[in-house]
Amino acid sequence: MEQEVHERSIDPATLAMLQKAKEEGVETAWERYEKQLPQCSFGQLGICCRNCNMGPCRIDPFGEEADKGICGATADIIVARNLLRSIAAGAAAHSDHARDSVLTFKKMSEGKAGSYKIKDTAKLLSLASEYGISSEGGSLEEVAAKLADILLLEFGKQDGHLLCTRRAPEPRLKLWAELGIEPRGIDREIVECMHRTHMGVDNNAVHILLQGLRTGLSDGWGGSMIATDIQDILFGTPQPRRSTVNLGVLSKDKVNVIVHGHEPILSEMIVEAAEDPELLELAKEKGAAGINVAGICCTGNETLMRHGTPIAGTFLQQELAVITGAVEAMVVDVQCVMPSLGELAGCYHTKFISTSSKADFPNTVRMEFHEDKAYETAKEIVRAAVENFPNRVPEKVTIPDEKQECMVGFSVEAILNALGGTPDPLIEAIKSGAIRGVGAVVGCNNVKVKHNYGHVNLVKELIKNNVLVVTTGCNAIACAEAGLLLPEASELAGDGLKAVCKALGIPPVLHMGSCVDISRILVLSSALANRLGVDISDLPAAGAAPEWMSEKAVSIGAYVVSSGVYTVLGTVPAVLGSQAVTSLLTEGLNDVVGASFAVEPDPIKAAGLMLEHIDGKREALGLITGKRKAMGLTSER
Ligand code: BF8
Ligand code: SF4
């Protein structure tokens, strides 16, 4: 049965564009989802295997027909192997992005990456000292070159463990060592996943899953962390600033250029090129009032955090941006880019420009982007957008009114700054019970969930219960669209959190960046745990991904839980076909890494699970619990 348009999102701008799509007869992810229904239940349960050409094999979940693949692989083995391949793909995506950042950084240090510069010298020097590089007497570029060399080695490392992991608290490091899951070289972990899941290699579900945890860790405490650090040096460490979000940020009279994908290496240059006097002059000649750059997905988060560039939408709004009829160029690099965009762009005047040597799509204009002539290419891209402005068809243009203000830019450095230089005020607020705990809410949109419903309701429920929320990725954009990233949103928070937010002038939901910036959440968790003299798993903290869809989210889940953070998923991972894997993920992991997953599609119930977990941790730490506080008691005993 066809779903009514209003059931698809809680966001009015999204609904308006879905209605427009319907009237204009263009298809979006929602229609394609309906055509997929009912989705294959073997796939949903994770019990089909195509890892060799004797297959595909599938296991009968009712045990009446095949209970093994042709090679003898059971449901447990097949589910675990499929999960491991997803983790590998997710870790590869984050880490390959990181590699490109470091390669650009290296070229910059050699003077071979024309327009890139060192933007945050303090961060460069602090990383140099962390990695034991002397900055005495050498130029900043020399220091950068040495740092780049050390970081590049992390990808192909054959001996020892990843250096970033040293940022984790001592007890966590010890635990990883005991379990044999300390990540080694980043590429090595990913390659080993592919090897282990080849036909006839690793056939023990627990053994396979441990490699999944290790590979996840090589992403969170490796690739993602390196990407964040290097991007901060090259483009600046985010600081609090204001901006706007949602489809209403598109301009009626300016040239609209959307940057979509994940790598700021490209979007930074586009933002700069859009201010080029020559192109602004050309825009005027073409009848436009200027050039407006807006982001989608995580590359949008990167430029939002560092420049306050507005964001046009989350993952599920990428097609809707084109449907406004007001986008001159949709410029994409890698990850989360729907291949449908090419055909869709053909229904409007939009130029769909792909730029990465790794990612081509149907019906794109290819304008490949290389660091040595980054600015020149960015200018060419923006020029193509400007020249496309006269092709805009006024009758086809509808820009929704929704344009929400937000406050963003909460890097760890910015949070510590807001706290007066140390995490102590936050710790005191947690100890006193003013802040009950910290919730990390992250991840995608997924057509299986009403767009933004899971994100917004879960976060609202947490802040109402005095949980300070840190957010990244599409959750951050969803929260911004709902007005939750404003200091004024503390009115929706419980009294304790409200008072803290008011005193510090911060929103109750802190935007910490893109998905690779979940590494910032790991660093913050370590700082809090170290200050309290405990492990991350002892903190009154919990994570959630209410609408996740991507394999990157699977890798993130693996490293967040292995780092000790209980995590609630809003969409069901393809593991239910194996009782053993399911119970390991939802229970067994507790005994292994001190945290586990839960699955709860209802965001209010999901928040309830997180609160329960947070209260349990408060109690274990001897802190005042919500219940005792409500009874007017000020201490635990
Ligand atoms: O890396 S949250 S839909 S945009 S995968 Fe993609 Fe998911 Fe959005 Fe960013 Ni993250
Ligand atoms: Fe079937 Fe085994 Fe081949 Fe998978 S690896 S397709 S289960 S025979």
Side-chain angles (χ1 to χ4, degrees), residues 262 297-298 315 336 443-444 474 515 549-550 552:
H262 282 77
C297 285
C298 282
F315 169 71
C336 304
C444 327
C474 286
C515 291
M549 64 87 200
S550 135
K552 287 178 287 172

Side-chain angles (χ1 to χ4, degrees), residues 168-169 172 221 522 525-526 529 534-541 560 563-565:
R172 195 57 19 193
W221 298 87
L522 296 178
S525 314
S526 285
V534 298
D535 195 355
I536 295 175
S537 54
D538 299 318
L539 294 174
V560 167
S563 300
V565 181

Side-chain angles (χ1 to χ4, degrees), residues 49 51-52 54-55 57 69-71 73 78 81 199:
C49 179
N51 291 10
C52 88
M54 291 193 284
C57 298
I70 295 165
C71 66
I78 291 176
R81 279 199 307 220
M199 191 269 155

Side-chain angles (χ1 to χ4, degrees), residues 407-469:
M407 188 194 248
V408 303
F410 290 94
S411 54
V412 175
E413 291 83 342
I415 292 176
L416 291 180
N417 221 358
L419 294 170
T422 85
D424 292 352
L426 178 56
I427 287 176
E428 286 315 313
I430 292 174
K431 280 186 175 168
S432 75
I435 291 180
R436 192 153 158 191
V438 180
V441 192
V442 303
C444 327
N445 286 142
N446 183 326
V447 278
K448 294 176 180 172
V449 181
K450 190 178 199 174
H451 169 251
N452 287 2
Y453 175 83
H455 287 311
V456 171
N457 287 297
L458 192 148
V459 169
K460 276 188 174 169
E461 187 66 13
L462 289 176
I463 61 172
K464 190 172 101 189
N465 285 284
N466 292 313
V467 173
L468 175 70
V469 173

Side-chain angles (χ1 to χ4, degrees), residues 491-566:
E491 291 305 326
L492 302 173
D495 288 344
L497 177 60
K498 192 197 292 182
V500 174
C501 291
K502 287 209 157 141
L504 297 172
I506 56 168
V509 185
L510 302 179
H511 188 340
M512 294 190 74
S514 63
C515 291
V516 291
D517 292 334
I518 295 175
S519 62
R520 298 190 201 273
I521 302 181
L522 296 178
V523 170
L524 182 66
S525 314
S526 285
L528 294 178
N530 284 338
R531 204 69 180 182
L532 280 164
V534 298
D535 195 355
I536 295 175
S537 54
D538 299 318
L539 294 174
E547 304 182 21
W548 75 276
M549 64 87 200
S550 135
E551 287 175 311
K552 287 178 287 172
V554 186
S555 173
I556 292 166
Y559 74 68
V560 167
V561 167
S562 318
S563 300
V565 181
Y566 168 73

Side-chain angles (χ1 to χ4, degrees), residues 90-100 155 186-187 190 218-219 222-224:
H94 281 151
S95 302
D96 208 34
H97 162 172
R99 183 199 328 273
D100 281 346
F155 293 88
I186 297 167
D187 293 347
I190 295 162
S218 80
D219 170 358
S224 285

